[in-house]
Amino acid sequence: MVVNATFEIEITPEDGLLPGTRRFEFVKVWSGDAAGASRGFMLSAGEPTEGEAGYVALEMFEGQIGGRQGSVAFQQFGSMREGVQELRYELVPGSGTGDLAGATGTLSLTIDDAGIHHVVFDVV
């Protein structure tokens, strides 16, 4: 099933866990074919202003995705090399509850010129 959604995000920086790292807590409000809220943490390192960095994130979503109600975790693995960004974004296997129990899949993320985060889910 393909699901289209957008989200608004609020990011709060925190102290890094290790030298050279940064830590962030975030809250997202989702709308569209995925409606609900998620909360998570992100760890990053590198120099994004120089086009070289990476991050990992884990978030817990509660709401509905494509009409299926429940909760599920998302994980992200992002990197930037010479200014070129790569992102792996997926549902965490075994993390779903309710109608989302057993759900798996990937997400594609784009950010438009207005700063709106657009997500396309490919959910099984």
Side-chain angles (χ1 to χ4, degrees):
M1 155 181 37
V2 175
V3 174
N4 291 285
T6 60
F7 65 78
E8 295 180 19
I9 185 168
E10 181 180 318
I11 300 174
T12 305
E14 298 183 349
D15 291 336
L17 299 174
L18 302 168
T21 66
R22 292 172 292 284
R23 178 181 164 158
F24 305 88
E25 182 176 352
F26 61 87
V27 176
K28 295 179 181 175
V29 177
W30 295 78
S31 57
D33 296 334
S38 61
R39 167 176 239 116
F41 292 96
M42 176 174 32
L43 299 173
S44 69
E47 293 298 332
T49 57
E50 296 177 19
E52 304 288 329
Y55 80 92
V56 294
L58 186 65
E59 66 187 279
M60 201 64 200
F61 171 89
E62 292 186 60
Q64 68 86 19
I65 299 173
R68 296 165 66 180
Q69 189 73 31
S71 64
V72 67
F74 301 141
Q75 63 185 6
Q76 296 179 44
F77 177 84
S79 62
M80 183 187 316
R81 290 177 184 85
E82 297 179 359
V84 177
Q85 297 182 28
E86 293 180 37
L87 175 63
R88 190 167 138 200
Y89 196 179
E90 57 190 45
L91 280 76
V92 175
S95 68
T97 66
D99 296 335
L100 295 171
T104 61
T106 59
L107 295 79
S108 300
L109 172 68
T110 58
I111 303 171
D112 67 21
D113 292 338
I116 298 173
H117 294 74
H118 298 270
V119 179
V120 177
F121 292 71
D122 185 9
V123 182
V124 179

